[in-house]
Amino acid sequence: MFTALTIAGSDSSGGAGIQADIKTLSAVGVYGMTAVTAVTAQNTLGVQSVFPVPPEILAAQIDSVCRDIPPDAVKIGMIPDVQCARIIAGKIRAYSLRNIVIDTVFRSSGGAVLQTQEAVLYAQKELYPLASVITPNIPEAELLSGKKITTEEECRAATECLAEKFGCPVLVTGGHSGGGTSDDFLYDLHRFHRFPGARISNPDTHGTGCTLSSVVAGYLAKGFPLEEAVLNAKRFVTGAIADRLKLGHGRGPLNHMYASYPSNQGEKQ
């Protein structure tokens, strides 16, 4: 059984974070393990509260997993503060962890701040260079590059710029782009890969970034090349959005288990 460790925050509504990661890894046939960086109170309407886990508890979680069930891949999500960022970077080096996928989570989809500026700067210097790939969406890529992204050419330029800046492959996801397409761009330090996709008319996309990065980590854990892992992730997220799961009163979650349990089966009466 292939294994993956997700180091991320907890989402009490189950749509993003640790909960989404575990469901996603299970759906792609990978055994998921966790190290919680923060406990959040959140739902489809937004994030109501965030409580960072004490650094020593985060360190103990990672140690417990790595000493017993070494992960084949690691997905990193919410890093609430610089202390957590330092611990994560140190543990990656100490255990020679591989297949590192970093979802550059700075804010929630509702705008809540999930990572301090100090943690962002530390991650750019010490964490991103350790990654097999980082997966910013367009707003995150704009923040990291300092450049506005409104066209395909600008997206490609930002992707290459970030890859060269951090010394790691970069996947910029196109869900926030305008028009009728949602194309993703990967620069693997050697060449570009474009993953075209039609835009699905569905506002319920809570947890999209968490889900995509978890699928990439899952397929890297299984030995797939990065390009194939990203292609599988693109297909998975597209299917999960197209399933049109309807939960909550705000921006609802994806159906991570759509292939086994479509949302049109067993509906509430």
Side-chain angles (χ1 to χ4, degrees):
M1 172 66 75
F2 296 101
T3 63
L5 168 64
T6 169
I7 305 173
S10 169
D11 174 0
S12 52
S13 71
I18 288 283
Q19 289 84 346
D21 297 342
I22 286 291
K23 285 184 278 189
T24 300
L25 290 168
S26 297
V28 300
V30 173
Y31 182 81
M33 303 171 289
T34 66
V36 180
T37 61
V39 177
T40 73
Q42 65 176 290
N43 52 30
T44 64
L45 298 172
V47 178
Q48 290 79 47
S49 183
V50 176
F51 179 77
V53 167
E56 62 272 19
I57 299 300
L58 174 60
Q61 292 178 83
I62 299 173
D63 287 337
S64 292
V65 170
C66 293
R67 290 170 181 171
D68 187 36
I69 311 174
D72 297 308
V74 178
K75 176 266 171 83
I76 300 170
M78 178 183 175
I79 307 172
D81 52 46
V82 71
Q83 291 85 359
C84 287
R86 288 196 182 103
I87 285 170
I88 294 168
K91 296 304 181 183
I92 289 174
R93 295 188 179 98
Y95 291 106
S96 299
L97 298 176
R98 57 196 179 89
N99 294 324
I100 311 297
V101 179
I102 301 180
D103 180 16
T104 53
V105 181
F106 305 142
R107 295 176 180 270
S108 71
S109 54
V113 176
L114 301 177
Q115 189 168 339
T116 66
Q117 182 64 18
E118 189 180 7
V120 173
L121 294 175
Y122 181 89
Q124 290 181 50
K125 182 179 178 181
E126 300 293 340
L127 262 179
Y128 295 175
L130 303 176
S132 301
V133 65
I134 65 172
T135 63
N137 58 31
I138 287 178
E140 292 162 352
E142 290 179 333
L143 180 63
L144 289 170
S145 68
K147 300 177 180 179
K148 191 68 177 174
I149 300 172
T150 58
T151 67
E152 178 178 322
E153 291 72 23
E154 290 172 343
C155 189
R156 290 171 65 94
T159 304
E160 184 173 7
C161 169
L162 294 177
E164 293 176 349
K165 179 179 180 180
F166 302 128
C168 68
V170 175
L171 171 69
V172 175
T173 59
H176 290 79
S177 62
T181 62
S182 178
D183 299 344
D184 299 345
F185 293 92
L186 170 69
Y187 184 62
D188 64 7
L189 299 180
H190 301 289
R191 63 192 183 98
F192 275 100
H193 306 270
R194 178 172 175 266
F195 302 89
R199 185 169 302 280
I200 299 169
S201 180
N202 181 2
D204 296 324
T205 55
H206 178 56
T208 302
C210 303
T211 302
L212 182 135
S213 55
S214 292
V215 180
V216 173
Y219 277 96
L220 290 179
K222 296 166 80 170
F224 282 67
L226 179 58
E227 181 182 359
E228 290 185 43
V230 172
L231 178 60
N232 282 315
K234 180 74 169 176
R235 290 170 175 167
F236 184 97
V237 170
T238 298
I241 295 174
D243 184 80
R244 300 183 185 279
L245 180 66
K246 293 295 181 182
L247 291 174
H249 297 88
R251 178 177 291 179
L254 316 178
N255 183 5
H256 305 93
M257 308 303 293
Y258 73 94
S260 300
Y261 304 103
S263 62
N264 61 3
Q265 292 185 3
E267 294 181 348
K268 294 180 182 179
Q269 301 299 315

